[in-house]
Amino acid sequence: MVSTDSSGAQYTRYQLWSGVVFLLLVLAGLIVGGVKTYAWMQDEQRMPVQVVDFSGEFQHVDITRLERLIRRSQPGSFFALDVNEVYRLVEAQPWIYRASVRKQWPNRLKIYLVEQTPVAKWNEDLLLNPYGETFSAKADDLDLPRLYGPGGSEKTALEGYNAMQTLLATTDMPIAELSLSERFAWQLQLKNGIELNLGRQEFIDRLQRFIDMYPLLAQQSKPVRYVDLRYDTGLAVGWNTDDDEQS
């Protein structure tokens, strides 16, 4: 005679193992399905990024080159494309100041660009934007003032340039070159060739003194070569001689 308790225990074990096997089969199915789904999502041929849509105002950014860089760095499908990587790539480009990147279903990548605005050349090899930040880009075709100064003085030099350029705006004598020394002494070269030595202190007041005196200086028989304004009152003037003009 077979015990009912033994039969019941065997049935329970059977149910348990059946459940375990079923669970394993379900998990295996999910894993296989997940792998196939992932592979499908990574397949560029099934869900390619067909359009890279650039917007914003820009003159110097080479859009064709930038799109080529993006597609080369992100060769996968729409799902596989890493927006953060694209963002870092775009903002690393010389003429890009800021960018935003997002996907748009089903096959579009939208990129909004804010281009750098160069306002001056800095120490020959860099450019300055309106915030006194440097960036490296080619601007040989741009007629920009040249600013020079020690490292870390970019904002100071640009602020001084803006203040002095505003003062000179009514005189038709724009600044061609500005130099800020290690001791923060200011020197200017105007586009008409006149050099101004303003020193370290009260450079705005000294520039105003030059502006007030220039109509009198311009009446002289010889053109002005330089003006030294490093005095509490008055100024020292150097004149172009005939030899200077011939050389």
Side-chain angles (χ1 to χ4, degrees):
M1 180 176 180
V2 179
S3 171
T4 55
D5 292 341
S6 176
S7 299
Q10 290 179 352
Y11 180 72
T12 301
R13 285 195 297 272
Y14 173 77
Q15 285 185 315
L16 177 62
W17 283 108
S18 297
V20 169
V21 171
F22 177 77
L23 179 59
L24 292 174
L25 290 173
V26 170
L27 290 175
L30 290 174
I31 292 172
V32 172
V35 170
K36 289 185 176 181
T37 301
Y38 178 79
W40 183 87
M41 292 173 64
Q42 298 293 316
D43 188 352
E44 183 183 5
Q45 301 304 317
R46 296 183 182 274
M47 289 294 294
V49 177
Q50 293 183 348
V51 179
V52 180
D53 183 10
F54 293 97
S55 60
E57 296 183 5
F58 40 84
Q59 298 178 351
H60 305 284
V61 178
D62 187 341
I63 295 301
T64 302
R65 174 181 173 276
L66 184 54
E67 179 175 349
R68 192 160 55 243
L69 286 175
I70 292 170
R71 291 189 179 278
R72 191 181 303 146
S73 69
Q74 299 288 318
S77 70
F78 176 84
F79 295 104
L81 186 142
D82 189 331
V83 171
N84 292 326
E85 286 296 329
V86 174
Y87 169 80
R88 284 190 284 270
L89 173 65
V90 172
E91 284 217 337
Q93 303 308 304
W95 279 105
I96 305 299
Y97 178 63
R98 291 286 184 269
S100 64
V101 181
R102 64 183 179 89
K103 297 179 184 179
Q104 185 179 67
W105 178 263
N107 56 14
R108 186 180 295 264
L109 180 66
K110 297 183 71 68
I111 301 175
Y112 181 79
L113 302 177
V114 179
E115 190 175 60
Q116 289 276 17
T117 302
V119 296
K121 294 181 180 179
W122 178 251
N123 289 340
E124 295 294 347
D125 55 348
L126 295 173
L127 299 175
L128 284 179
N129 66 19
Y131 312 106
E133 300 167 345
T134 59
F135 64 100
S136 178
K138 291 184 178 180
D140 298 335
D141 57 335
L142 300 179
D143 184 19
L144 297 172
R146 301 180 300 276
L147 274 57
Y148 300 89
S153 66
E154 295 88 349
K155 290 185 179 180
T156 300
L158 183 60
E159 288 171 359
Y161 167 82
N162 288 335
M164 288 185 276
Q165 184 61 43
T166 299
L167 203 58
L168 289 164
T170 58
T171 67
D172 195 28
M173 290 188 292
I175 299 171
E177 182 176 308
L178 177 150
S179 296
L180 188 60
S181 73
E182 294 285 347
R183 299 184 62 202
F184 285 81
W186 300 85
Q187 289 184 319
L188 302 181
Q189 180 178 331
L190 306 180
K191 282 197 173 182
N192 60 9
I194 297 176
E195 298 178 5
L196 304 180
N197 193 338
L198 301 175
R200 296 174 58 190
Q201 300 175 345
E202 301 177 349
F203 60 90
I204 293 296
D205 293 339
R206 291 173 178 178
L207 181 60
Q208 183 63 59
R209 188 192 309 161
F210 164 75
I211 293 172
D212 295 338
M213 292 293 296
Y214 183 72
L216 180 61
L217 299 176
Q219 293 176 8
Q220 306 306 309
S221 59
K222 293 182 179 181
V224 177
R225 181 163 60 91
Y226 73 86
V227 180
D228 190 341
L229 294 133
R230 295 175 296 172
Y231 303 93
D232 294 335
T233 58
L235 45 82
V237 181
W239 307 94
N240 270 324
T241 65
D242 293 338
D243 292 339
D244 293 332
E245 293 177 356
Q246 290 175 2
S247 61

XYZ file of all heavy atoms in Angstrom, residues 91-122:
281
model
N 30.105 71.025 -29.279
C 30.631 72.158 -28.505
C 32.160 72.214 -28.515
O 32.729 73.241 -28.143
C 30.115 72.122 -27.070
C 28.678 72.570 -26.919
C 28.447 73.359 -25.652
O 29.236 73.206 -24.707
O 27.456 74.123 -25.606
N 32.805 71.142 -28.946
C 34.266 71.153 -29.038
C 34.762 71.836 -30.309
O 35.961 72.098 -30.435
C 34.805 69.723 -28.980
N 33.853 72.158 -31.232
C 34.266 72.776 -32.485
C 34.616 74.245 -32.265
O 33.984 74.936 -31.456
C 33.156 72.652 -33.531
C 32.712 71.227 -33.815
C 33.888 70.324 -34.133
O 34.662 70.602 -35.048
N 34.029 69.241 -33.388
N 35.636 74.762 -32.973
C 36.182 76.096 -32.691
C 35.156 77.225 -32.718
O 35.183 78.103 -31.866
C 37.229 76.277 -33.801
C 37.605 74.903 -34.212
C 36.373 74.079 -34.045
N 34.251 77.222 -33.670
C 33.344 78.353 -33.829
C 32.041 78.195 -33.053
O 31.161 79.063 -33.148
C 33.027 78.578 -35.302
C 34.103 79.338 -36.027
C 35.021 78.836 -36.905
C 34.386 80.738 -35.927
N 35.856 79.830 -37.341
C 35.490 81.016 -36.762
C 33.809 81.791 -35.204
C 36.027 82.287 -36.900
C 34.353 83.056 -35.346
C 35.436 83.301 -36.181
N 31.888 77.117 -32.297
C 30.645 76.893 -31.561
C 30.784 77.428 -30.143
O 31.682 77.026 -29.404
C 30.275 75.394 -31.506
C 30.211 74.817 -32.919
C 28.951 75.199 -30.783
C 29.176 75.459 -33.798
N 29.881 78.333 -29.754
C 29.879 78.852 -28.387
C 28.972 78.001 -27.500
O 29.364 77.590 -26.412
C 29.410 80.304 -28.380
C 29.343 80.910 -26.992
C 30.499 81.059 -26.224
C 28.132 81.325 -26.447
C 30.450 81.605 -24.954
C 28.074 81.883 -25.184
C 29.229 82.017 -24.439
O 29.177 82.551 -23.180
N 27.776 77.728 -27.955
C 26.838 76.883 -27.221
C 26.039 76.053 -28.223
O 25.878 76.452 -29.384
C 25.869 77.706 -26.351
C 26.515 78.404 -25.170
C 26.868 77.411 -24.067
N 27.405 78.078 -22.895
C 28.686 78.321 -22.670
N 29.575 77.959 -23.584
N 29.085 78.929 -21.570
N 25.531 74.906 -27.756
C 24.714 74.053 -28.623
C 23.703 73.287 -27.787
O 23.911 73.072 -26.592
C 25.599 73.072 -29.405
N 22.607 72.916 -28.414
C 21.655 71.991 -27.798
C 21.346 70.902 -28.818
O 21.252 71.179 -30.020
C 20.371 72.707 -27.370
O 19.685 73.234 -28.493
N 21.215 69.662 -28.329
C 21.036 68.512 -29.207
C 19.881 67.663 -28.689
O 19.809 67.384 -27.491
C 22.320 67.645 -29.270
C 22.133 66.470 -30.215
C 23.519 68.483 -29.690
N 18.982 67.243 -29.572
C 17.896 66.348 -29.164
C 17.459 65.496 -30.361
O 17.642 65.883 -31.519
C 16.706 67.120 -28.602
C 16.004 68.041 -29.579
C 14.889 68.824 -28.898
N 14.220 69.732 -29.796
C 13.166 69.419 -30.547
N 12.674 68.170 -30.510
N 12.609 70.301 -31.338
N 16.900 64.345 -30.019
C 16.336 63.474 -31.042
C 14.874 63.837 -31.286
O 14.179 64.274 -30.370
C 16.400 62.018 -30.601
C 17.792 61.455 -30.398
C 17.684 59.998 -29.927
C 19.026 59.387 -29.601
N 18.905 57.996 -29.138
N 14.455 63.651 -32.511
C 13.035 63.823 -32.847
C 12.574 62.591 -33.632
O 13.098 62.297 -34.702
C 12.815 65.099 -33.673
C 11.340 65.390 -33.941
C 11.157 66.663 -34.730
O 11.530 66.760 -35.892
N 10.601 67.676 -34.092
N 11.636 61.880 -33.036
C 11.107 60.659 -33.652
C 10.525 60.980 -35.023
O 9.894 61.999 -35.210
C 10.039 60.065 -32.730
C 9.370 58.834 -33.272
C 8.191 58.756 -33.936
C 9.879 57.507 -33.208
N 7.920 57.474 -34.294
C 8.939 56.684 -33.861
C 11.032 56.935 -32.679
C 9.122 55.315 -33.980
C 11.204 55.575 -32.810
C 10.248 54.779 -33.452
N 10.752 60.098 -36.032
C 11.391 58.781 -35.928
C 12.849 58.745 -36.416
O 13.530 57.757 -36.208
C 10.518 57.922 -36.834
C 10.122 58.869 -37.934
C 9.984 60.227 -37.292
N 13.337 59.811 -37.076
C 14.640 59.665 -37.738
C 15.412 60.981 -37.844
O 16.234 61.139 -38.732
C 14.448 59.079 -39.139
C 13.503 59.924 -39.981
O 13.188 61.060 -39.632
N 13.045 59.364 -41.093
N 15.143 61.914 -36.945
C 15.731 63.250 -37.072
C 16.548 63.607 -35.831
O 16.157 63.321 -34.703
C 14.619 64.279 -37.281
C 15.108 65.689 -37.582
C 13.905 66.621 -37.772
N 13.150 66.227 -38.937
C 13.284 66.759 -40.154
N 14.193 67.722 -40.341
N 12.557 66.354 -41.158
N 17.686 64.246 -36.067
C 18.518 64.785 -34.993
C 18.517 66.303 -35.147
O 18.924 66.836 -36.179
C 19.946 64.242 -35.089
C 20.928 64.731 -34.017
C 20.529 64.213 -32.637
C 22.356 64.299 -34.343
N 18.056 67.008 -34.118
C 17.932 68.461 -34.186
C 19.050 69.101 -33.348
O 19.215 68.760 -32.177
C 16.562 68.919 -33.694
C 15.405 68.414 -34.549
C 14.074 68.946 -34.084
C 13.907 70.411 -34.371
N 13.812 70.719 -35.810
N 19.772 70.018 -33.953
C 20.904 70.678 -33.298
C 20.752 72.188 -33.460
O 20.662 72.693 -34.591
C 22.245 70.223 -33.897
C 22.405 68.706 -33.759
C 23.412 70.942 -33.223
C 23.649 68.161 -34.424
N 20.713 72.881 -32.326
C 20.648 74.344 -32.343
C 22.023 74.891 -31.971
O 22.599 74.508 -30.951
C 19.590 74.859 -31.365
C 19.472 76.371 -31.355
C 18.764 77.026 -32.355
C 20.094 77.134 -30.365
C 18.661 78.404 -32.371
C 20.003 78.507 -30.369
C 19.283 79.143 -31.377
O 19.191 80.510 -31.390
N 22.536 75.793 -32.795
C 23.886 76.311 -32.617
C 23.878 77.792 -32.257
O 23.096 78.570 -32.810
C 24.699 76.132 -33.905
C 24.860 74.707 -34.443
C 25.634 74.736 -35.754
C 25.562 73.826 -33.430
N 24.752 78.147 -31.330
C 25.067 79.550 -31.049
C 26.537 79.735 -31.403
O 27.407 79.124 -30.786
C 24.815 79.916 -29.573
C 25.190 81.377 -29.322
C 23.361 79.661 -29.188
N 26.796 80.552 -32.404
C 28.156 80.710 -32.907
C 28.941 81.718 -32.070
O 28.377 82.659 -31.504
C 28.114 81.172 -34.356
C 29.455 81.136 -35.064
C 29.325 81.502 -36.528
O 28.879 82.624 -36.835
O 29.663 80.655 -37.370
N 30.243 81.506 -31.998
C 31.119 82.479 -31.358
C 31.085 83.797 -32.137
O 31.015 83.807 -33.368
C 32.563 81.964 -31.328
C 32.826 80.820 -30.375
C 33.079 81.298 -28.950
O 32.770 82.434 -28.590
N 33.639 80.439 -28.134
N 31.127 84.907 -31.398
C 31.194 86.230 -32.017
C 32.563 86.831 -31.722
O 32.832 87.244 -30.592
C 30.094 87.153 -31.467
O 28.814 86.564 -31.686
C 30.158 88.520 -32.139
N 33.462 86.869 -32.702
C 34.790 87.426 -32.439
C 34.733 88.947 -32.418
O 34.146 89.574 -33.306
C 35.615 86.922 -33.621
C 34.613 86.764 -34.732
C 33.311 86.377 -34.088
N 35.338 89.547 -31.404
C 35.379 91.010 -31.318
C 36.802 91.540 -31.370
O 37.003 92.731 -31.580
C 34.679 91.504 -30.029
C 33.200 91.157 -30.052
C 35.343 90.934 -28.780
N 37.796 90.677 -31.179
C 39.185 91.116 -31.201
C 40.102 89.910 -31.347
O 39.730 88.786 -31.002
C 39.538 91.894 -29.932
N 41.306 90.160 -31.850
C 42.365 89.160 -31.840
C 43.151 89.316 -30.544
O 43.397 90.436 -30.095
C 43.284 89.333 -33.044
C 42.606 89.054 -34.378
C 43.574 89.211 -35.535
C 42.880 88.923 -36.861
N 43.799 89.095 -38.020
N 43.535 88.194 -29.968
C 44.237 88.220 -28.683
C 45.608 87.580 -28.831
O 45.710 86.391 -29.160
C 43.422 87.492 -27.620
C 44.088 87.420 -26.279
C 44.612 86.316 -25.679
C 44.314 88.506 -25.371
N 45.150 86.639 -24.459
C 44.976 87.980 -24.243
C 44.022 89.870 -25.399
C 45.351 88.771 -23.153
C 44.383 90.651 -24.314
C 45.042 90.107 -23.208
